[in-house]
Amino acid sequence: MSDTDILSNQQLRDYLEELPHWREIPGAIAAVFQTRTSAAAIELFSDIAGAAEMDNHHPDVDWRYNRLFVSTTSHDAGGAITARDIALASKISERAEALGAKPRVDLIGAVEIGIDTDDPAAIAAQWAAGLGYKVQEDGSLADPDHRKPAIWFQQTATPNENRLHLDIWNPYSQSAKVLDALKEQGVAIDEQYAPGFYVATDRQGNRFCLCTEADR
């Protein structure tokens, strides 16, 4: 397999079995590492930058005190995950372990905004113009700087009264804890699409989806 070949869902699942620090999120794989100090986080950041330069393949890294939130995807492959991402993730994990960084799978996540519409093409460019986003090949919208949440259009002949909802991505291994917290708060949970996603409705009828990488 070439380093630039896009991985199938099964190939990605197989690779992630060997990368316990990493999980799939929309359009990328992600990990979070926690160090003892902020200085140690900077050292790990520097090691990640060195690995990225060596591979000429650069992840997104968000430094927050003693935590690094890392994600990687292949932008030249249309934002898909390739063998290069797996190789880079493996090197990052090796450097994190060498520095004694703690993986925090429980902190991996992402948020997308879903919009119900019977005609996505009629509104996609308007949202893109307002946010400075780019329209993707699949019709969704993405921030060119990869900082703001992605937007996707849920095409339906009967849009919900509340047309906007959040898709909250968590690793499947963490979903039970989140579901329990929602149920304790009296949130109605529709599990007919589980474990790929659960539709949550608050007491005022607002919806959001708890999404996982499982069974997709």
Side-chain angles (χ1 to χ4, degrees):
M1 171 181 289
S2 166
D3 286 348
T4 58
D5 286 347
I6 296 172
L7 301 180
S8 68
N9 291 336
Q10 185 58 56
Q11 288 172 325
L12 179 57
R13 285 193 291 268
D14 291 343
Y15 276 122
L16 289 178
E17 287 288 329
E18 306 299 322
L19 292 171
H21 303 162
W22 296 78
R23 295 292 186 273
E24 182 183 5
I25 61 173
I29 55 174
V32 181
F33 298 101
Q34 181 172 308
T35 59
R36 288 189 297 273
T37 65
S38 177
I42 295 173
E43 184 177 358
L44 177 56
F45 201 155
S46 178
D47 284 353
I48 292 172
E53 282 296 297
M54 186 176 299
D55 287 359
N56 192 28
H57 188 52
H58 301 86
D60 291 331
V61 184
D62 184 1
W63 168 41
R64 300 299 174 102
Y65 181 54
N66 67 335
R67 295 171 179 168
L68 294 180
F69 296 76
V70 189
S71 64
T72 178
T73 188
S74 295
H75 301 296
D76 56 356
I81 301 167
T82 68
R84 281 182 301 162
D85 298 301
I86 299 300
L88 182 59
S90 180
K91 291 179 180 179
I92 291 171
S93 286
E94 289 176 2
R95 284 158 172 75
E97 289 178 343
L99 288 173
K102 178 183 178 182
R104 292 293 306 272
V105 175
D106 58 308
L107 297 180
I108 298 173
V111 175
E112 295 183 309
I113 299 172
I115 302 176
D116 276 11
T117 175
D118 56 1
D119 188 0
I123 61 174
Q126 296 177 326
W127 282 86
L131 292 165
Y133 279 22
K134 290 184 177 180
V135 181
Q136 305 293 94
E137 290 183 6
D138 63 0
S140 64
L141 307 181
D143 175 13
D145 295 316
H146 315 292
R147 295 181 60 250
K148 302 170 188 173
I151 294 177
W152 68 283
F153 300 98
Q154 181 166 278
Q155 187 164 7
T156 172
T158 56
N160 190 276
E161 182 177 350
N162 296 327
R163 292 197 175 203
L164 273 67
H165 73 272
L166 299 182
D167 283 347
I168 304 168
W169 287 82
N170 290 289
Y172 176 67
S173 60
Q174 305 298 314
S175 60
K177 179 173 62 176
V178 179
L179 287 168
D180 287 345
L182 290 174
K183 290 174 181 177
E184 286 180 6
Q185 292 297 322
V187 176
I189 305 293
D190 181 350
E191 300 189 15
Q192 65 175 307
Y193 307 106
F197 65 96
Y198 305 77
V199 181
T201 306
D202 70 15
R203 60 176 54 93
Q204 294 181 355
N206 302 299
R207 298 175 305 146
F208 55 96
C209 294
L210 177 64
C211 303
T212 80
E213 79 281 10
D215 196 28
R216 284 185 172 266

